């Protein structure tokens, strides 16, 4: 299955695979096993939702943006999966009215916990809609990579503030450490089963380097896979991906 995400001939898709392959690797065993009821909270225009629906799963996307939901509808129709993808306008605080409690096999929360008002409340609402034994796939920005990125361009004060989250979050929102995430999940009654660093090298190397050399993108994907679960390199990861069970 992983080849679908990494062996594309198109440069843009090859580069995307260097950023997403390890998340897909973690999701693949779940998506290959059974037909799932999936909730993509903050799923935006539905890139991931539509790919998951194309594998036979039922996906509900909840997002506050009507424009994103319109794009989702178009994308789902074009992919021939409109009957398995439902868009609902709302945000995390609306979840209890949009999705029955205890009904979802898999919640995707990718790139959203950074920008919600209250991450503790957000995770407890997600836990409520999961069935017992259901999984949460949580993808968030990792703090220390952003500290390094700021320091490397001379933004030393911003790097210092970000180190201990003493400044404002800005437009990109919060960034998390593994310890913080594990505590947040535990508080919501969820058990972290797998933690991966995502984009450990992918954002550090110039795209031209990946495009120039045949086989380079695949070698970078392989490197990302090799380091994803190595804690010593985790502070370099742009994102953290956690799978948690209710
Ligand atoms: C960075 S995008 C991530 C989109 C998609 N999940 C992905 O990984 O590509 C954040 C998405 O969260 C949505 N969003 C913003 N605030 C939200 C909230 N309080 N609850 C749910 N979704 C929210 C936005 O409309 C946007 O589509």
């Amino acid at each position: 299955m992983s080849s679908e995400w990494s062996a594309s001939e198109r440069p843009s898709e090859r580069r995307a695979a260097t950023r997403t392959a390890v998340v897909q690797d973690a999701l693949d065993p779940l998506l290959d096993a059974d037909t799932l009821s999936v909730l993509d909270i903050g799923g935006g225009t539905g890139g991931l939702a539509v790919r998951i629906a194309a594998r036979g799963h039922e996906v509900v996307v909840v997002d506050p943006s009507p424009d994103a939901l319109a794009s989702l509808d178009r994308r789902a129709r074009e992919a021939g999966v409109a009957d398995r993808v439902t868009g609902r306008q709302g945000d995390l605080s609306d979840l209890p009215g949009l999705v029955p409690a205890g009904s979802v096999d898999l919640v995707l929360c990718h790139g959203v916990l950074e920008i919600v008002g209250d991450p503790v409340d957000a995770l407890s609402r997600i836990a409520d809609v999961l069935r017992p034994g259901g999984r949460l796939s949580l993808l968030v920005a990792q703090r220390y990579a952003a500290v390094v990125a700021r320091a490397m361009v001379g933004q030393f004060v911003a790097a210092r503030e970000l180190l201990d989250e003493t400044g404002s979050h800005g437009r990109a929102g919060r960034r998390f450490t593994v310890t913080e995430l594990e505590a947040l999940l535990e508080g919501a009654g969820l058990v972290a089963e797998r933690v991966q660093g995502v984009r450990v090298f992918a954002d550090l190397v110039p795209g031209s380097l990946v495009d120039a050399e045949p086989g380079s993108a695949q070698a970078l994907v392989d490197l990302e896979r090799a380091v994803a679960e190595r804690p010593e390199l985790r502070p370099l990861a742009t994102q953290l991906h956690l799978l948690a069970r209710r």
Side-chain angles (χ1 to χ4, degrees):
M1 178 63 233
S2 52
S3 59
E4 184 188 318
W5 305 93
S6 56
S8 166
E9 289 309 307
R10 278 191 273 168
S12 60
E13 290 178 15
R14 280 202 304 262
R15 258 179 266 133
T18 67
R19 299 191 296 271
T20 59
V22 302
V23 176
Q24 298 306 330
D25 288 349
L27 292 177
D28 277 342
L30 303 179
L31 297 172
D32 285 342
D34 288 306
T35 299
L36 302 177
S37 150
V38 180
L39 166 66
D40 191 352
I41 180 75
T45 58
L48 183 54
V50 166
R51 287 203 300 274
I52 288 177
R55 291 170 70 166
H57 305 287
E58 299 283 335
V59 189
V60 173
V61 174
V62 172
D63 200 287
S65 162
D67 290 346
L69 292 174
S71 300
L72 164 74
D73 279 347
R74 221 173 14 253
R75 204 191 275 250
R77 275 199 311 276
E78 284 167 9
V81 295
D83 56 332
R84 288 199 295 278
V85 176
T86 308
R88 299 212 176 117
Q89 193 178 356
D91 63 27
L92 263 156
S93 60
D94 301 318
L95 266 192
L98 294 174
V99 180
S103 68
V104 178
D105 298 311
L106 173 64
V107 173
L108 309 167
C109 181
H110 291 186
V112 179
L113 205 64
E114 296 90 328
I115 53 178
V116 297
D118 180 353
V120 173
D121 183 61
L123 286 173
S124 103
R125 285 177 191 274
I126 286 172
D128 285 347
V129 297
L130 277 172
R131 68 162 171 78
R135 301 307 210 305
L136 165 65
S137 168
L138 181 64
L139 183 66
V140 296
Q142 195 268 130
R143 187 176 309 144
Y144 299 126
V147 173
V148 173
R150 275 167 185 60
M152 282 177 69
V153 295
Q155 295 176 0
F156 304 123
V157 173
R160 178 73 186 86
E161 286 175 356
L162 194 54
L163 184 64
D164 298 316
E165 287 272 74
T166 50
S168 66
H169 294 132
R171 266 193 312 147
R174 288 178 206 84
R175 293 177 175 78
F176 297 89
T177 67
V178 172
T179 313
E180 288 167 354
L181 287 172
E182 286 176 340
L184 281 169
L185 289 171
E186 193 182 332
L190 299 169
V191 181
E193 294 182 320
R194 184 170 182 177
V195 181
Q196 299 194 103
V198 182
R199 295 155 65 179
V200 175
F201 296 110
D203 295 340
L204 296 176
V205 296
S208 55
L209 211 96
V210 177
D211 293 338
E213 199 65 37
S216 185
Q218 184 60 55
L220 179 53
V221 167
D222 293 343
L223 180 62
E224 290 286 338
R225 286 181 167 135
V227 298
E229 293 191 72
R230 292 182 64 150
E232 60 272 36
L233 284 160
R234 201 173 278 151
L236 292 179
T238 302
Q239 292 171 304
L240 294 167
H241 181 241
L242 286 86
L243 268 187
R245 181 193 282 267
R246 182 181 159 195

